[in-house]
Amino acid sequence: DTAVSQTPKYLVTQMGNDKSIKCEQNLGHDTMYWYKQDSKKFLKIMFSYNNKELIINETVPNRFSPKSPDKAHLNLHINSLELGDSAVYFCASSQEISRGGNIQYFGAGTRLSVL
Amino acid sequence: SQQGEEDPQALSIQEGENATMNCSYKTSINNLQWYRQNSGRGLVHLILIRSNEREKHSGRLRVTLDTSKKSSSLLITASRAADTASYFCAFSNYNQGGKLIFGQGTELSVKP
């Protein structure tokens, strides 16, 4: 069983469209994250949720909206896609810091190409 | 910038040789971790070293941490072709909600 799974794996779309990426983890973790990895492999955190509550919100355009329906799911919706949004987006999860963890478990990534 | 820096950016060695990668950071940290990313895949956690530790081993991996120099190194001994991947250091301060700040990675190529 995949621990952190995200769909789709590839997403090709036109500028201006709206798209969503879904993420689910079956590790029982309380905290989930979204990262963006650019073409130079630089990995930057975008958002973090702890038990459905937003705890980290980096400087990300408000076209990006995370949604956590429950602690096992964290979806990312992107409005009005731009060329610069092309990247690989990774979902990750970890235990709460208070329980001694921030070792993160990553999904396989969603490669988004905006044309 | 909070981003970690890794060096070298790329490293090419023969199977059986050792590979050393270095990471430097600028803030205070609670722990530093190393992750591996195979081409087209997600990151996989390798090892975590806490700020009060100086060295840690896991199999063929050896990690050192020097908080006075704000630097860490990852040594892979007796490398194998399967070790070919990108290696990232990531550090965190628990006051920042567990957020990991990553270095830009070292691309390791191990030739058979």
Side-chain angles (χ1 to χ4, degrees):
Chain A
D1 267 351
T2 305
V4 181
S5 59
Q6 48 183 113
T7 55
K9 192 169 171 64
Y10 299 97
L11 191 49
V12 181
T13 188
Q14 299 286 333
M15 251 189 343
N17 283 351
D18 303 338
K19 290 293 177 187
S20 292
I21 307 172
K22 295 185 175 182
C23 179
E24 175 181 4
Q25 54 95 3
N26 63 6
L27 296 166
H29 289 161
D30 294 311
T31 307
M32 296 184 72
Y33 310 81
W34 277 110
Y35 288 88
K36 178 180 180 180
Q37 187 174 44
D38 64 22
S39 57
K40 295 182 180 177
K41 292 198 172 179
F42 174 44
L43 200 70
K44 192 172 185 333
I45 189 165
M46 300 172 69
F47 302 103
S48 171
Y49 270 72
N50 182 276
N51 208 4
K52 302 194 295 175
E53 183 184 342
L54 180 67
I55 55 170
I56 295 174
N57 185 351
E58 294 292 295
T59 309
V60 176
N62 58 15
R63 299 181 295 101
F64 290 78
S65 52
K67 287 205 169 39
S68 182
D70 56 60
K71 71 175 196 177
H73 295 83
L74 180 61
N75 304 322
L76 183 65
H77 188 77
I78 315 170
N79 288 329
S80 304
L81 278 155
E82 300 178 356
L83 293 177
D85 298 332
S86 295
V88 183
Y89 292 84
F90 286 99
C91 176
S93 73
S94 73
Q95 285 187 330
E96 277 189 85
I97 296 295
S98 62
R99 285 154 64 184
N102 71 334
I103 291 173
Q104 297 186 12
Y105 296 78
F106 283 78
T110 295
R111 184 173 293 276
L112 172 64
S113 298
V114 182
L115 308 177
Chain B
S1 141
Q2 287 187 318
Q3 183 186 349
E5 293 185 9
E6 289 188 56
D7 119 86
Q9 288 191 16
L11 180 59
S12 181
I13 58 174
Q14 296 293 133
E15 239 179 354
E17 293 180 342
N18 295 342
T20 300
M21 289 158 262
N22 303 295
C23 169
S24 60
Y25 57 92
K26 294 179 180 173
T27 62
S28 62
I29 65 170
N30 289 106
N31 69 49
L32 187 142
Q33 304 177 40
W34 286 88
Y35 287 79
R36 183 186 74 224
Q37 183 180 31
N38 288 88
S39 181
R41 309 294 298 270
L43 281 75
V44 175
H45 173 81
L46 294 175
I47 195 165
L48 178 153
I49 186 166
R50 300 190 192 283
S51 57
N52 61 354
E53 297 174 313
R54 291 296 164 255
E55 189 170 312
K56 207 155 178 188
H57 296 253
S58 175
R60 294 184 296 112
L61 305 181
R62 174 178 163 249
V63 169
T64 61
L65 179 64
D66 186 335
T67 51
S68 66
K69 294 181 180 176
K70 290 186 163 51
S71 67
S72 173
S73 67
L74 171 68
L75 168 67
I76 304 175
T77 59
S79 63
R80 305 166 182 167
D83 295 328
T84 295
S86 294
Y87 291 81
F88 294 86
C89 68
F91 49 91
S92 65
N93 185 310
Y94 292 164
N95 291 334
Q96 296 184 5
K99 163 171 92 170
L100 283 181
I101 298 172
F102 283 83
Q104 82 271 31
T106 292
E107 203 160 318
L108 173 65
S109 173
V110 182
K111 298 187 182 348

